[in-house]
Every structure is written in structure tokens, then in C-alpha cells.
Amino acid sequence: MSFLLAHLSDAHIGPIPRPNLAELLGKRVTGYVNWLYKRAGQHDMGVLARLVADMRAQSPDHVLMTGDIVNIGLPAEIALAKDWLATLGGAAEVSFTPGNHDAYMPDVTKLVHEVFEPWTTSELPAPGFPYLRRRAGVALIGLDSGVPTAPFVASGRLGEKQLAALGALLDETRSEGLTRVVFLHHPPHVGGARLLRGLDDAAAFEAVIAKHGAELVLHGHNHKPSVAYIANPDGRTPVVGVASASARPGGHYPAAAYNLYAIERAGDALRIKLRRRELNEAGEVVEAGAEELVQPAT
């Protein structure tokens, strides 16, 4: 089995359509000001377009987009983001999971789930999260960590129900001999993000992996590349973060990038190789390093 998986995150599609006064309630006021005076200068849709073109040229078998597709959760933003997500490929070949900006206000969460439902279609009988997609020997398991929070708080949460369902799915797909890839927006390991920005139940997520295992966990949120590990029954599970897909070079965060994972399995021997592709100062998308995350035992 050979499978090429692409992963991008935190597109922050812009510019934000001009909101009316009724839409600028609560957290949206601070978020809109933050966009005008900070984020608008950090996120470039031309950069995003170049990154997506390069990604599509790599011909991945599947694409994961791990949230923060919008900024302050306006319905007009969500409509633009839906059109953009369709440029990544067909809904059967692209999977999405929401971030904290996609759950910016309580009233927008249901709309996000409805609009992006084609990219979260599951093989499970129950709707919602977690969802499961089996693709060529790989189990893609999407989680939703996006929850409405107070101003200046960007934390996430999975909740007991989602975590219990995840454990059952990991057992089921392991018994099928599938390579299990779990993906969500927030870094799910303890200490994976700053105060008020992390996953509230990261310790509970780590406990699920420690008991049931997984071959790979992917996330966004921090706008920078990272690799960490969580102990599992057979060793350890790599937890990989990716930079924002629209970040301008030379800004506050690392330049826009996406990750490619070459997943190869022969019998019980599994190899996962990570390649990073990022935008350089000249505006070209180039190879930025490679790393063996999992390799067959010798």
C-alpha cells in the first residue's frame, strides 16, 4: 500500500466581507479590528493560491484541511470559504475539520457543519464528529475541536462523547489492518499550545492514544511546523503541526507551507515520510525538509 496525503491548515480566507452593525456583536468586534490592523497584513490570498497550485501538482491521493478556513464566522465568509475549499479537489478526496475561527460565535457552528458537510461525509451511520473515511488502506478520522470561546481565548475542546467514539473507531480500524490518521485543528498533546490557546482536554486525548494507538495525528492552529510524540501501546504516535497556508514570508509567523505524507505499508511494516513544502522569499514553493516519522523495525 502506498498513499500520498497532503495537509494544509489555517487558510483564513480574506478579505473579510464588510459586516453590518448587527453582525458586529460580542467577539466579532475585536476579531474584525484584529483583522483590519493585523491579520489582513499577515494572510495573502495570492500566497494561498500558489501553495494550492503546487500542492495539486504533487497529485496527492487525499487532502486534509484542518480548520480556521474563515476569520470571524460571517455567513458571507463561509460562502467564500466553501468556494475555495472546492478548488482543492472533489469532496470525496478532500476532508475538512473546523477550527476555533470557524466556531467564532455560537450561532455559526451549525452553519459551518451544514455548509461543509460534503467534506465531512462519513462512512459511519451516525452523523457528526468523529467521522471516518477509508481510503486505500488508510483510515482518516476527523475530529471537531472548534468551540465558541470568550474574546481573546482561542482554546478548543473535544468532549467525552467524541473521545469515547474515537477510541472505538481506533480499535475498529486497527482490527481491519488500516493505517489510522487522526486529524483536528488544535494541537492535541499536553503543552502543545500557549495558555488559552490549547486543547482543554489534551490529557484525555493522550489517554485515548495511549490505550488505543494511532499511526499519525495531524493538526494546525499554531501557524508553525512542529513534530511531537504521544506514547501508544506499540511505541509512540507522531503528532505533526503545519504552518498557515496563507502566511506571507517575513511576517510574524513562518511562511505559508503545507505537508506531504508518503504512507507505505508492506504487511506489518509501516513507513511514513514527511515532506514540507513552503513559500520562500522569492515567492516560490520549494522543498523545505523531509523527515521519517515512522519506519519499519529492523
Side-chain angles (χ1 to χ4, degrees), residues 134-154:
R134 297 178 179 89
R135 299 290 187 272
V138 175
L140 301 169
I141 302 173
L143 302 175
D144 182 5
S145 62
V147 292
T149 59
F152 310 110
V153 177

PDB file of all heavy atoms in Angstrom, residues 134-154:
ATOM      1  N   ARG A 134     -12.487   5.709   4.819  1.00  0.00           N
ATOM      2  CA  ARG A 134     -11.478   4.704   4.474  1.00  0.00           C
ATOM      3  C   ARG A 134     -11.002   4.955   3.051  1.00  0.00           C
ATOM      4  O   ARG A 134     -11.807   5.047   2.131  1.00  0.00           O
ATOM      5  CB  ARG A 134     -12.054   3.296   4.582  1.00  0.00           C
ATOM      6  CG  ARG A 134     -12.492   2.888   5.990  1.00  0.00           C
ATOM      7  CD  ARG A 134     -13.098   1.500   5.961  1.00  0.00           C
ATOM      8  NE  ARG A 134     -13.532   1.021   7.268  1.00  0.00           N
ATOM      9  CZ  ARG A 134     -14.733   1.225   7.785  1.00  0.00           C
ATOM     10  NH1 ARG A 134     -15.645   1.941   7.104  1.00  0.00           N
ATOM     11  NH2 ARG A 134     -15.052   0.738   8.979  1.00  0.00           N
ATOM     12  N   ARG A 135      -9.685   5.047   2.901  1.00  0.00           N
ATOM     13  CA  ARG A 135      -9.100   5.316   1.584  1.00  0.00           C
ATOM     14  C   ARG A 135      -7.845   4.479   1.407  1.00  0.00           C
ATOM     15  O   ARG A 135      -6.827   4.719   2.049  1.00  0.00           O
ATOM     16  CB  ARG A 135      -8.740   6.807   1.430  1.00  0.00           C
ATOM     17  CG  ARG A 135      -9.910   7.783   1.534  1.00  0.00           C
ATOM     18  CD  ARG A 135     -10.840   7.690   0.334  1.00  0.00           C
ATOM     19  NE  ARG A 135     -11.856   8.730   0.338  1.00  0.00           N
ATOM     20  CZ  ARG A 135     -13.044   8.635   0.937  1.00  0.00           C
ATOM     21  NH1 ARG A 135     -13.342   7.529   1.607  1.00  0.00           N
ATOM     22  NH2 ARG A 135     -13.917   9.629   0.869  1.00  0.00           N
ATOM     23  N   ALA A 136      -7.919   3.462   0.558  1.00  0.00           N
ATOM     24  CA  ALA A 136      -6.746   2.701   0.115  1.00  0.00           C
ATOM     25  C   ALA A 136      -5.847   2.268   1.267  1.00  0.00           C
ATOM     26  O   ALA A 136      -4.644   2.535   1.279  1.00  0.00           O
ATOM     27  CB  ALA A 136      -5.942   3.511  -0.899  1.00  0.00           C
ATOM     28  N   GLY A 137      -6.417   1.629   2.261  1.00  0.00           N
ATOM     29  CA  GLY A 137      -5.633   1.138   3.382  1.00  0.00           C
ATOM     30  C   GLY A 137      -5.415   2.134   4.500  1.00  0.00           C
ATOM     31  O   GLY A 137      -4.715   1.833   5.470  1.00  0.00           O
ATOM     32  N   VAL A 138      -6.003   3.319   4.381  1.00  0.00           N
ATOM     33  CA  VAL A 138      -5.848   4.367   5.388  1.00  0.00           C
ATOM     34  C   VAL A 138      -7.214   4.711   5.979  1.00  0.00           C
ATOM     35  O   VAL A 138      -8.193   4.847   5.242  1.00  0.00           O
ATOM     36  CB  VAL A 138      -5.209   5.634   4.774  1.00  0.00           C
ATOM     37  CG1 VAL A 138      -5.153   6.767   5.798  1.00  0.00           C
ATOM     38  CG2 VAL A 138      -3.807   5.322   4.254  1.00  0.00           C
ATOM     39  N   ALA A 139      -7.277   4.838   7.299  1.00  0.00           N
ATOM     40  CA  ALA A 139      -8.484   5.303   7.978  1.00  0.00           C
ATOM     41  C   ALA A 139      -8.285   6.767   8.351  1.00  0.00           C
ATOM     42  O   ALA A 139      -7.404   7.090   9.161  1.00  0.00           O
ATOM     43  CB  ALA A 139      -8.755   4.467   9.224  1.00  0.00           C
ATOM     44  N   LEU A 140      -9.055   7.652   7.757  1.00  0.00           N
ATOM     45  CA  LEU A 140      -8.996   9.088   8.050  1.00  0.00           C
ATOM     46  C   LEU A 140     -10.098   9.401   9.058  1.00  0.00           C
ATOM     47  O   LEU A 140     -11.285   9.223   8.767  1.00  0.00           O
ATOM     48  CB  LEU A 140      -9.190   9.897   6.773  1.00  0.00           C
ATOM     49  CG  LEU A 140      -8.165   9.623   5.656  1.00  0.00           C
ATOM     50  CD1 LEU A 140      -8.603  10.274   4.356  1.00  0.00           C
ATOM     51  CD2 LEU A 140      -6.786  10.116   6.066  1.00  0.00           C
ATOM     52  N   ILE A 141      -9.708   9.860  10.242  1.00  0.00           N
ATOM     53  CA  ILE A 141     -10.652  10.083  11.331  1.00  0.00           C
ATOM     54  C   ILE A 141     -10.623  11.564  11.702  1.00  0.00           C
ATOM     55  O   ILE A 141      -9.631  12.069  12.241  1.00  0.00           O
ATOM     56  CB  ILE A 141     -10.312   9.207  12.550  1.00  0.00           C
ATOM     57  CG1 ILE A 141     -10.313   7.731  12.151  1.00  0.00           C
ATOM     58  CG2 ILE A 141     -11.302   9.476  13.685  1.00  0.00           C
ATOM     59  CD1 ILE A 141      -9.829   6.797  13.243  1.00  0.00           C
ATOM     60  N   GLY A 142     -11.709  12.278  11.389  1.00  0.00           N
ATOM     61  CA  GLY A 142     -11.793  13.716  11.626  1.00  0.00           C
ATOM     62  C   GLY A 142     -12.489  14.043  12.933  1.00  0.00           C
ATOM     63  O   GLY A 142     -13.561  13.504  13.231  1.00  0.00           O
ATOM     64  N   LEU A 143     -11.884  14.947  13.714  1.00  0.00           N
ATOM     65  CA  LEU A 143     -12.444  15.404  14.978  1.00  0.00           C
ATOM     66  C   LEU A 143     -12.740  16.894  14.907  1.00  0.00           C
ATOM     67  O   LEU A 143     -12.106  17.624  14.149  1.00  0.00           O
ATOM     68  CB  LEU A 143     -11.458  15.152  16.124  1.00  0.00           C
ATOM     69  CG  LEU A 143     -11.007  13.710  16.349  1.00  0.00           C
ATOM     70  CD1 LEU A 143      -9.940  13.667  17.435  1.00  0.00           C
ATOM     71  CD2 LEU A 143     -12.186  12.826  16.736  1.00  0.00           C
ATOM     72  N   ASP A 144     -13.670  17.347  15.724  1.00  0.00           N
ATOM     73  CA  ASP A 144     -14.041  18.765  15.782  1.00  0.00           C
ATOM     74  C   ASP A 144     -13.652  19.326  17.135  1.00  0.00           C
ATOM     75  O   ASP A 144     -14.276  19.023  18.150  1.00  0.00           O
ATOM     76  CB  ASP A 144     -15.545  18.912  15.545  1.00  0.00           C
ATOM     77  CG  ASP A 144     -16.008  20.368  15.554  1.00  0.00           C
ATOM     78  OD1 ASP A 144     -15.139  21.256  15.644  1.00  0.00           O
ATOM     79  OD2 ASP A 144     -17.228  20.599  15.467  1.00  0.00           O
ATOM     80  N   SER A 145     -12.613  20.178  17.161  1.00  0.00           N
ATOM     81  CA  SER A 145     -12.178  20.805  18.411  1.00  0.00           C
ATOM     82  C   SER A 145     -12.620  22.261  18.508  1.00  0.00           C
ATOM     83  O   SER A 145     -12.300  22.947  19.480  1.00  0.00           O
ATOM     84  CB  SER A 145     -10.649  20.737  18.539  1.00  0.00           C
ATOM     85  OG  SER A 145     -10.018  21.444  17.484  1.00  0.00           O
ATOM     86  N   GLY A 146     -13.354  22.755  17.514  1.00  0.00           N
ATOM     87  CA  GLY A 146     -13.776  24.153  17.497  1.00  0.00           C
ATOM     88  C   GLY A 146     -14.992  24.383  18.372  1.00  0.00           C
ATOM     89  O   GLY A 146     -16.051  23.792  18.139  1.00  0.00           O
ATOM     90  N   VAL A 147     -14.858  25.223  19.363  1.00  0.00           N
ATOM     91  CA  VAL A 147     -15.978  25.589  20.241  1.00  0.00           C
ATOM     92  C   VAL A 147     -15.967  27.107  20.427  1.00  0.00           C
ATOM     93  O   VAL A 147     -14.908  27.731  20.417  1.00  0.00           O
ATOM     94  CB  VAL A 147     -15.887  24.891  21.619  1.00  0.00           C
ATOM     95  CG1 VAL A 147     -16.093  23.397  21.489  1.00  0.00           C
ATOM     96  CG2 VAL A 147     -14.551  25.190  22.296  1.00  0.00           C
ATOM     97  N   PRO A 148     -17.135  27.743  20.575  1.00  0.00           N
ATOM     98  CA  PRO A 148     -17.166  29.188  20.839  1.00  0.00           C
ATOM     99  C   PRO A 148     -16.467  29.512  22.151  1.00  0.00           C
ATOM    100  O   PRO A 148     -16.617  28.789  23.144  1.00  0.00           O
ATOM    101  CB  PRO A 148     -18.665  29.507  20.914  1.00  0.00           C
ATOM    102  CG  PRO A 148     -19.343  28.372  20.202  1.00  0.00           C
ATOM    103  CD  PRO A 148     -18.488  27.169  20.468  1.00  0.00           C
ATOM    104  N   THR A 149     -15.697  30.574  22.162  1.00  0.00           N
ATOM    105  CA  THR A 149     -14.980  30.983  23.363  1.00  0.00           C
ATOM    106  C   THR A 149     -15.129  32.492  23.567  1.00  0.00           C
ATOM    107  O   THR A 149     -15.606  33.210  22.690  1.00  0.00           O
ATOM    108  CB  THR A 149     -13.482  30.635  23.266  1.00  0.00           C
ATOM    109  OG1 THR A 149     -12.922  31.290  22.122  1.00  0.00           O
ATOM    110  CG2 THR A 149     -13.267  29.133  23.143  1.00  0.00           C
ATOM    111  N   ALA A 150     -14.675  32.964  24.720  1.00  0.00           N
ATOM    112  CA  ALA A 150     -14.720  34.385  25.036  1.00  0.00           C
ATOM    113  C   ALA A 150     -13.693  35.155  24.212  1.00  0.00           C
ATOM    114  O   ALA A 150     -12.777  34.565  23.633  1.00  0.00           O
ATOM    115  CB  ALA A 150     -14.451  34.580  26.529  1.00  0.00           C
ATOM    116  N   PRO A 151     -13.820  36.480  24.118  1.00  0.00           N
ATOM    117  CA  PRO A 151     -12.799  37.279  23.436  1.00  0.00           C
ATOM    118  C   PRO A 151     -11.410  36.996  23.993  1.00  0.00           C
ATOM    119  O   PRO A 151     -11.227  36.795  25.187  1.00  0.00           O
ATOM    120  CB  PRO A 151     -13.234  38.721  23.724  1.00  0.00           C
ATOM    121  CG  PRO A 151     -14.722  38.627  23.906  1.00  0.00           C
ATOM    122  CD  PRO A 151     -14.945  37.310  24.605  1.00  0.00           C
ATOM    123  N   PHE A 152     -10.430  36.959  23.082  1.00  0.00           N
ATOM    124  CA  PHE A 152      -9.015  36.731  23.404  1.00  0.00           C
ATOM    125  C   PHE A 152      -8.719  35.312  23.887  1.00  0.00           C
ATOM    126  O   PHE A 152      -7.634  35.040  24.396  1.00  0.00           O
ATOM    127  CB  PHE A 152      -8.517  37.751  24.440  1.00  0.00           C
ATOM    128  CG  PHE A 152      -8.835  39.176  24.080  1.00  0.00           C
ATOM    129  CD1 PHE A 152      -9.785  39.897  24.794  1.00  0.00           C
ATOM    130  CD2 PHE A 152      -8.221  39.784  22.990  1.00  0.00           C
ATOM    131  CE1 PHE A 152     -10.094  41.206  24.446  1.00  0.00           C
ATOM    132  CE2 PHE A 152      -8.525  41.095  22.646  1.00  0.00           C
ATOM    133  CZ  PHE A 152      -9.462  41.807  23.366  1.00  0.00           C
ATOM    134  N   VAL A 153      -9.683  34.410  23.716  1.00  0.00           N
ATOM    135  CA  VAL A 153      -9.479  32.996  24.046  1.00  0.00           C
ATOM    136  C   VAL A 153      -9.635  32.189  22.758  1.00  0.00           C
ATOM    137  O   VAL A 153     -10.582  32.383  22.014  1.00  0.00           O
ATOM    138  CB  VAL A 153     -10.485  32.504  25.109  1.00  0.00           C
ATOM    139  CG1 VAL A 153     -10.301  31.007  25.377  1.00  0.00           C
ATOM    140  CG2 VAL A 153     -10.339  33.306  26.386  1.00  0.00           C
ATOM    141  N   ALA A 154      -8.686  31.293  22.498  1.00  0.00           N
ATOM    142  CA  ALA A 154      -8.701  30.509  21.250  1.00  0.00           C
ATOM    143  C   ALA A 154      -8.537  29.024  21.532  1.00  0.00           C
ATOM    144  O   ALA A 154      -7.991  28.281  20.723  1.00  0.00           O
ATOM    145  CB  ALA A 154      -7.589  30.993  20.319  1.00  0.00           C
TER     146      ALA A 154
END
